[in-house]
Amino acid sequence: MEFEAIIGLEVHAELSTKTKIYCGCTTEFGGEQNTHCCPVCMGLPGALPVLNKEVVTYAMKAGLALNCEINKETYMARKNYFYPDCPKNYQITQDETPLCKNGYVEITTEEGTKKIGIQRIHIEEDAGKALHREDGTYVDFNRSGVPLIEIVSKPDMRTAQEAKMYLENLKAILQYTEVSDCKMEEGSLRCDANVSVRPKGSTEFGVKTEIKNMNSFKAVEKAIEYEIKRQIEAINRGEKIVQETRRWDETKGETIVMRSKEEAHDYRYFPEPDMVYLVVDDEWINNVKNTLPELPDKKRARYISEYGLPEYDASILTSSKALAAFFEDTVKEGASPKDASNWIMGEVLRTLNDREMSIEDIKVQPKHLAKLIELINNGTITGTIAKKVFKDMFETGDDPEKIVKEKGMVQISDENAIRDIVNKVLDENPQSVEDYKNGKTKAMGFVVGQVMKASKGKANPQLVNKLVEEELQKR
Amino acid sequence: MHTKTLHEIRELINKGEVSCVELTKNTLERISSVDDKIGAYLQIDEEGALNKAKEVDEKIRRGEEVSFLAGIPMAIKDNICVEGLKTTCASKILENFVSPYDAHVTKRLKQNDAVILGKLNMDEFAMGSSSENSAFKKVRNPYDLERVPGGSSGGSAAAVAAGEAYYTLGSDTGGSIRQPASLCGVVGLKPTYGRISRYGLVAFASSLDQIGPFTKDVEDCAHVLEAIAGYDEMDSTSAKKEVEDYTRYLNQDIKGLKIGIPKECFGEGLNEDVRKEIENAIAVYRKLGAEIKEISLPMSKYALAVYYILASSEASSNLARFDGIRYGYRADEFEDVVDLYVKSRSKGFGDEVKRRIMLGTYALSAGYYDAYYKKALKVRTLIINEYKRAFEDVDVILTPTSPTVAFKIGEKSNNPLEMYLSDIYTVPINIAGVPAISIPAGFVGGLPVGMQLIGNYFDEGTLIKVGHAFERETEFSKVRPSI
């Protein structure tokens, strides 16, 4: 039997507001333990939460960027559970009235564009962090009360790749809107997956499992792939899938049971009586709408129509806000969109990948990349030399003009000088001359390469080609 | 000296007949001579009180203008935070908890240069109607030491009645200010929900709790209310409504004012002698030219049921933070974290608190939420509407505060349901969120009887006006216990 998977994702993103959701403490990452807290986020007796309006603005921004409707009247709710990192032993979140609902994210699959629905986005507070040490467990409440949005997708994804694409696009949108920095390593983006399988063509859902503890997009993809396979194999063995929560074990590469449905909490949600209703009016919504930047979808379309870039290149360049900005700044500094795109898609991203760095960390300035491109186009340096110059720029962040000058990398366009090198190479390689005369045109390529090498890459390649051919004819 | 009211003491200070230090020493002496019998105080801050008194005396000597409350000794219920002092809520679980911050009302009192003597005894976490549920000691009624002072703010009421403070603060979730005020023969006001910030009041039931003053008479009440009322950005349920000059409601004529008498509050369960006293009070108002109208509040009979669902549900969640992890009592031995929770909470909380946590946890559970909590919220809306409608016809509503006078210690402590019934007239007011005041209105067998005046939302002014008119006409507020 052929199976199809049903995947839904729950993403927690930390909002980039300066202060916490229910008090004035800073949200800054790190800091000495238990220094970013106060009676409110420590849950001291008598302390009361007051909703930070910025949090609502940020969450609405995410909602609007993700094509959601905004709930104009919502209330906060308490989710009750006991855990040492939860200072009140309840989390103030939203239950029946999420701030945003019914949105979507578009992904590009082989069959074309697909909309992945977003069921809801609600605001809530983060918990503290338990620190397990040899002499016992400690809790750091710096993170307690840091604002989060939980983005719950509809069960619209069918493969692990689709899930990964959804996450990538979601992350790009959250970064574009500056709602969240989405740093998975700092815990500002977390993802749980709901996975079930069913016979292809069936309209009923199978029993789902929830997978937790995935620390990268790659892990999400692998965990979902594993879980789909596990469920299909179980069904084929005649077993029943049970509703449970499973943990992804990165080293073992498998999902492991955490708790069964019977062990699931009864959170006893009820409206937070310490807070009044949150009412959002049209003016507030419109103000947030007006601050939305150009989002990845629109940007991609513009790159294709305005710059004539291929769809693939446009998708890559718009995949993160920082990369798109780098590209646009390079174009603004005078590079043609095609050249800028080729360089960024090629040398820039390759080098970043090799070093496991991201575009945010690059030392090269867009204006210097534009200048480098100009140096090639006006014949000052060759393409080969340009790659060397770029390496230098990558290390030092220096101006390419300065590098070229200091290292004497200017292109040689003097015909006589190049002809001398050509003849010298031909003298040293009689076999190549022989081959050429016998009709093996490949030999010319070899000679050109040797000439470039002898000139240390500085010879004008067009001239080299022309002169090699001329000299070969003469012999 | 200790029998005088706050406004009388202010006058003495202003005339230079007594210094704040003398006054404070005098009150501390009064406490040490009677509190062994009363049990109103859980903690006394002698040093802090005397320092403050000295400071105010110096201000006065320098000719600075001081506030009405400046230099006058008062005390605070032990569920309201005062920086550097313990806030125990009369519970073992918070026995050694020292608050690192001031409640909003504490801040306001300090701004007014109040002399804070210490913290007052109560039913554990404000759950109870007799102050017998304190984990540390019982409070006794100054009129009869064999009887309860009412609760949960029993310490706050008894301290004012016995002259151990010139005014005190309490909290009222279902009658916890008005019922003890009634039983101890003092004035107790529960303001409109949102009139006073709850920041720093250890929450019992967030949607019902309200802080309020205990005083010897209505005039004092107006002064204290004015000092502590108002919007606070730290409490989003506090109202952005301007605070009135409540003293301008004193000495006003009430001719033609409409007083509603709900017939439901005079039926079964009301002690006959108490009824007679309240009927005498109504007669006083008739004589003063008020128009007495019988009204009906049929939804009120559901108030107690609604109350025990909503209050317990909120309490079950509000009290979850007391778990022995970060502060407060922690069991000595435990296996793991769950065992730590279970043992610390089992040993740290008293029976009544545990009873309500269980009740509330049950009411919020999956499968029961709609039948209990959600339904209770709907009935709450009906009760709110009923009061709104009633205030279209009348200016205030008059009822007994409590169906009986102070009962004997131990008389009801084994029968929670009977204990709950002592709040039958006060609970609906918290459900509706309107303000109400209890005023001494008679005596039965030497024990005080209180009358409750209920006002429209944010109309504390009318309560002051109507209460003060009664006080000018009668002598009940001038009676002091013989202790």
Side-chain angles (χ1 to χ4, degrees):
Chain A
M1 198 182 339
E2 206 181 334
F3 285 91
E4 125 180 293
I6 309 290
I7 302 156
L9 296 181
E10 287 170 21
V11 171
H12 282 92
E14 191 180 301
L15 301 181
S16 302
T17 56
K18 289 209 165 58
T19 56
K20 291 184 178 181
I21 183 166
Y22 306 123
C23 63
C25 291
T26 176
T27 53
E28 217 175 288
F29 182 74
E32 202 183 314
Q33 278 143 28
N34 293 310
T35 54
H36 298 168
C37 21
C38 72
V40 176
C41 55
M42 292 282 289
L44 290 192
L48 295 174
V50 175
L51 186 58
N52 176 353
K53 285 221 161 120
E54 279 295 287
V55 169
V56 180
T57 296
Y58 275 57
M60 277 203 282
K61 207 167 177 183
L64 293 169
L66 294 167
N67 312 295
C68 288
E69 301 160 27
I70 304 296
N71 255 332
K72 288 192 181 167
E73 211 178 291
T74 63
Y75 60 83
M76 305 305 294
R78 288 191 189 174
K79 178 180 179 178
N80 294 284
Y81 66 96
F82 276 77
Y83 203 75
D85 68 8
C86 181
K88 302 181 293 293
N89 285 323
Y90 58 80
Q91 180 195 32
I92 308 176
T93 175
Q94 293 190 301
D95 178 30
E96 287 172 328
T97 59
L99 186 61
C100 321
K101 58 182 181 189
N102 294 333
Y104 63 86
V105 170
E106 278 182 349
I107 59 169
T108 314
T109 67
E110 280 161 16
E111 291 110 64
T113 305
K114 181 174 173 182
K115 275 186 187 172
I116 307 297
I118 287 172
Q119 194 182 317
R120 58 183 284 157
I121 303 175
H122 68 250
I123 50 178
E124 62 185 25
E125 61 183 326
D126 206 347
K129 198 175 171 200
L131 308 162
H132 302 282
R133 295 196 189 137
E134 266 180 29
D135 59 339
T137 301
Y138 295 79
V139 191
D140 175 11
F141 290 103
N142 281 358
R143 218 171 65 183
S144 169
V146 165
L148 302 176
I149 47 175
E150 182 174 338
I151 305 165
V152 182
S153 84
K154 290 181 181 162
D156 289 349
M157 288 154 277
R158 295 290 173 269
T159 65
Q161 292 70 31
E162 284 186 10
K164 188 165 169 255
M165 264 188 266
Y166 163 81
L167 282 177
E168 279 165 351
N169 288 2
L170 187 66
K171 178 180 169 183
I173 291 168
L174 295 179
Q175 287 180 332
Y176 266 75
T177 48
E178 289 172 357
V179 161
S180 171
D181 61 18
C182 298
K183 289 182 183 162
M184 264 186 132
E185 65 279 10
E186 288 181 8
S188 65
L189 193 77
R190 283 164 260 166
C191 173
D192 301 332
N194 287 304
V195 178
S196 66
V197 297
R198 66 182 178 193
K200 207 158 191 173
S202 163
T203 50
E204 271 168 51
F205 290 118
V207 176
K208 67 177 180 186
T209 58
E210 186 181 4
I211 309 164
K212 288 182 177 288
N213 195 42
M214 298 166 291
N215 296 320
S216 65
F217 288 1
K218 200 114 218 145
V220 174
E221 196 181 9
K222 281 196 288 185
I224 292 173
E225 253 163 26
Y226 173 87
E227 183 61 16
I228 294 171
K229 204 168 141 245
R230 185 191 72 81
Q231 291 188 14
I232 293 173
E233 283 172 4
I235 291 169
N236 283 339
R237 279 197 303 271
E239 290 168 23
K240 265 200 174 136
I241 304 298
V242 284
Q243 193 174 332
E244 59 194 8
T245 303
R246 302 176 70 89
R247 189 173 60 81
W248 171 244
D249 187 318
E250 182 77 41
T251 44
K252 285 187 185 153
E254 56 190 50
T255 62
I256 294 156
V257 183
M258 252 173 93
R259 57 173 180 259
S260 69
K261 192 188 174 192
E262 286 70 37
E263 295 167 90
H265 296 289
D266 176 1
Y267 289 119
R268 305 192 310 281
Y269 283 99
F270 74 105
E272 167 56 272
D274 283 329
M275 284 178 161
V276 289
Y277 267 69
L278 167 63
V279 179
V280 180
D281 58 13
D282 287 327
E283 195 190 338
W284 194 354
I285 297 174
N286 287 331
N287 285 343
V288 174
K289 248 183 210 161
N290 291 336
T291 64
L292 282 181
E294 186 184 33
L295 294 170
D297 282 351
K298 269 218 173 118
K299 216 181 249 301
R300 190 177 59 230
R302 181 164 66 83
Y303 283 10
I304 296 167
S305 64
E306 199 177 311
Y307 296 149
L309 298 184
E311 180 159 351
Y312 177 76
D313 297 21
S315 299
I316 299 284
L317 290 175
T318 54
S319 65
S320 94
K321 184 175 190 171
L323 191 60
F326 191 88
F327 167 73
E328 286 180 30
D329 288 345
T330 307
V331 172
K332 230 177 263 163
E333 293 290 340
S336 80
K338 279 245 160 70
D339 285 342
S341 169
N342 286 341
W343 266 89
I344 292 168
M345 298 283 296
E347 259 355 76
V348 174
L349 287 180
R350 185 167 341 150
T351 317
L352 286 173
N353 265 338
D354 288 349
R355 309 285 173 92
E356 292 182 345
M357 286 165 63
S358 75
I359 188 75
E360 283 92 345
D361 312 317
I362 200 167
K363 281 186 189 161
V364 177
Q365 295 175 41
K367 65 174 179 195
H368 289 159
L369 181 60
K371 201 180 262 176
L372 180 69
I373 291 168
E374 199 199 326
L375 290 175
I376 307 166
N377 290 345
N378 68 17
T380 308
I381 55 171
T382 63
T384 322
I385 290 293
K387 285 181 187 169
K388 284 186 190 163
V389 176
F390 179 77
K391 267 196 186 117
D392 261 30
M393 290 164 70
F394 194 90
E395 299 303 334
T396 60
D398 276 349
D399 187 330
E401 228 162 16
K402 185 180 152 219
I403 297 170
V404 167
K405 240 181 227 158
E406 277 175 10
K407 303 210 166 166
M409 289 163 149
V410 178
Q411 177 166 275
I412 305 168
S413 299
D414 179 344
E415 270 204 40
N416 290 331
I418 296 174
R419 201 182 296 273
D420 287 350
I421 302 172
V422 170
N423 280 317
K424 204 173 153 229
V425 169
L426 290 178
D427 291 346
E428 286 164 6
N429 294 287
Q431 187 61 46
S432 297
V433 180
E434 197 67 21
D435 288 351
Y436 182 79
K437 287 194 165 162
N438 292 335
K440 286 187 186 163
T441 42
K442 252 195 199 162
M444 186 179 145
F446 174 75
V447 174
V448 168
Q450 292 301 306
V451 172
M452 287 309 291
K453 203 173 160 191
S455 76
K456 295 195 176 107
K458 288 188 283 187
N460 180 324
Q462 281 85 41
L463 271 177
V464 172
N465 266 320
K466 186 185 128 202
L467 295 175
V468 167
E469 200 171 355
E470 276 179 28
E471 291 304 310
L472 277 169
Q473 302 284 351
K474 285 185 196 163
R475 298 217 174 193
Chain B
M1 186 87 82
H2 67 262
T3 57
K4 293 197 182 313
T5 63
L6 169 62
H7 57 91
E8 287 164 348
I9 290 292
R10 179 83 263 150
E11 230 165 275
L12 291 182
I13 296 173
N14 289 353
K15 284 186 192 154
E17 288 177 23
V18 68
S19 75
C20 301
V21 171
E22 280 166 352
L23 184 68
T24 303
K25 280 186 177 158
N26 184 287
T27 314
L28 287 166
E29 277 161 26
R30 173 71 184 165
I31 293 170
S32 58
S33 75
V34 299
D35 206 53
D36 279 352
K37 289 171 241 160
I38 305 288
Y41 279 85
L42 288 177
Q43 191 185 185
I44 295 165
D45 179 21
E46 195 171 321
E47 199 190 328
L50 285 168
N51 284 341
K52 188 55 156 183
K54 217 176 285 166
E55 194 190 310
V56 179
D57 277 338
E58 271 156 29
K59 272 192 185 177
I60 292 170
R61 207 167 302 135
R62 285 197 301 269
E64 282 177 40
E65 204 177 312
V66 296
S67 93
F68 195 88
L69 303 182
I72 301 177
M74 60 83 60
I76 298 175
K77 188 177 181 181
D78 209 19
N79 59 351
I80 297 172
C81 294
V82 178
E83 189 181 333
L85 297 189
K86 283 186 201 169
T87 299
T88 71
C89 296
S91 179
K92 186 178 173 183
I93 212 159
L94 285 178
E95 189 167 4
N96 296 308
F97 176 74
V98 175
S99 177
Y101 75 100
D102 276 333
H104 178 79
V105 287
T106 307
K107 229 179 254 170
R108 298 282 294 272
L109 288 170
K110 286 182 175 175
Q111 284 162 1
N112 277 281
D113 286 324
V115 171
I116 300 171
L117 294 170
K119 305 297 290 291
L120 297 165
N121 205 355
M122 55 188 279
D123 281 306
E124 183 180 5
F125 283 106
M127 296 175 184
S129 309
S130 67
S131 300
E132 292 167 286
N133 296 334
S134 167
F136 306 119
K137 59 184 177 188
K138 289 180 172 56
V139 187
R140 289 164 189 274
N141 193 313
Y143 279 91
D144 179 349
L145 297 175
E146 297 305 308
R147 291 176 187 268
V148 302
S152 66
S153 312
S156 303
V160 171
E164 297 182 80
Y166 288 95
Y167 65 99
T168 60
L169 294 190
S171 68
D172 189 317
T173 307
S176 283
I177 288 175
R178 292 156 289 155
Q179 187 255 18
S182 168
L183 270 48
C184 289
V186 297
V187 171
L189 170 72
K190 183 210 85 83
T192 310
Y193 184 79
R195 178 71 291 180
I196 295 175
S197 167
R198 293 184 296 115
Y199 190 77
L201 165 68
V202 181
F204 158 16
S206 309
S207 75
L208 302 162
D209 295 341
Q210 197 48 201
I211 293 171
F214 285 89
T215 54
K216 289 195 181 96
D217 65 11
V218 173
E219 184 171 342
D220 285 359
C221 180
H223 286 288
V224 180
L225 176 62
E226 206 170 308
I228 60 173
Y231 172 70
D232 170 21
E233 60 176 15
M234 298 295 275
D235 175 4
S236 58
T237 64
S238 74
K240 274 186 187 155
K241 227 175 152 78
E242 221 173 295
V243 177
E244 293 182 78
D245 169 9
Y246 293 109
T247 52
R248 80 183 168 87
Y249 288 94
L250 299 168
N251 300 308
Q252 297 288 312
D253 190 11
I254 59 157
K255 206 165 266 165
L257 189 124
K258 287 184 199 139
I259 300 177
I261 311 292
K263 60 180 183 199
E264 289 83 1
C265 297
F266 290 83
E268 206 187 331
L270 177 61
N271 173 283
E272 270 312 306
D273 295 326
V274 172
R275 177 208 299 274
K276 273 180 204 146
E277 294 300 301
I278 300 299
E279 277 167 358
N280 287 341
I282 295 170
V284 169
Y285 278 120
R286 198 172 274 127
K287 201 183 99 196
L288 287 170
E291 190 186 319
I292 308 296
K293 270 184 87 168
E294 190 186 273
I295 61 166
S296 176
L297 299 168
M299 295 310 292
S300 293
K301 63 173 170 287
Y302 302 114
L304 210 59
V306 167
Y307 175 79
Y308 276 95
I309 290 168
L310 295 183
S312 307
S313 295
E314 292 179 21
S316 73
S317 175
N318 281 331
L319 270 59
R321 69 187 66 192
F322 307 111
D323 58 5
I325 300 280
R326 295 163 307 282
Y327 50 78
Y329 174 78
R330 180 188 289 184
D332 295 329
E333 284 174 20
F334 47 85
E335 309 264 306
D336 54 21
V337 69
V338 173
D339 196 42
L340 182 157
Y341 289 147
V342 171
K343 287 197 175 126
S344 303
R345 287 168 66 81
S346 298
K347 290 181 190 165
F349 288 135
D351 286 348
E352 183 61 27
V353 172
K354 281 188 262 191
R355 185 179 295 130
R356 299 204 198 188
I357 290 174
M358 284 190 280
L359 206 64
T361 304
Y362 179 79
L364 289 176
S365 296
Y368 298 100
Y369 179 80
D370 286 351
Y372 293 111
Y373 191 84
K374 231 176 189 169
K375 191 167 239 173
L377 276 188
K378 284 181 188 158
V379 179
R380 181 178 199 171
T381 304
L382 295 178
I383 292 172
I384 289 170
N385 290 341
E386 188 168 275
Y387 275 91
K388 280 185 179 163
R389 224 170 16 245
F391 283 113
E392 286 170 12
D393 296 334
V394 299
D395 299 300
V396 290
I397 296 170
L398 189 157
T399 74
T401 306
S402 178
T404 64
V405 291
F407 44 91
K408 286 255 170 71
I409 289 170
E411 192 181 323
K412 297 184 182 179
S413 46
N414 290 323
N415 190 341
L417 283 183
E418 202 182 312
M419 187 77 91
Y420 294 172
L421 281 173
S422 53
D423 295 327
I424 188 95
Y425 305 132
T426 50
V427 155
I429 281 70
N430 299 75
I431 300 292
V434 290
I437 191 169
S438 179
I439 294 168
F443 284 87
V444 170
L447 295 169
V449 170
M451 122 182 115
Q452 175 174 243
L453 295 169
I454 307 159
N456 205 343
Y457 294 94
F458 298 100
D459 195 13
E460 282 79 2
T462 299
L463 294 184
I464 302 282
K465 178 165 111 180
V466 178
H468 195 240
F470 182 79
E471 223 168 62
R472 294 198 308 275
E473 205 58 29
T474 59
E475 298 291 316
F476 304 117
S477 288
K478 297 191 177 71
V479 179
R480 306 282 178 258
S482 57
I483 188 167

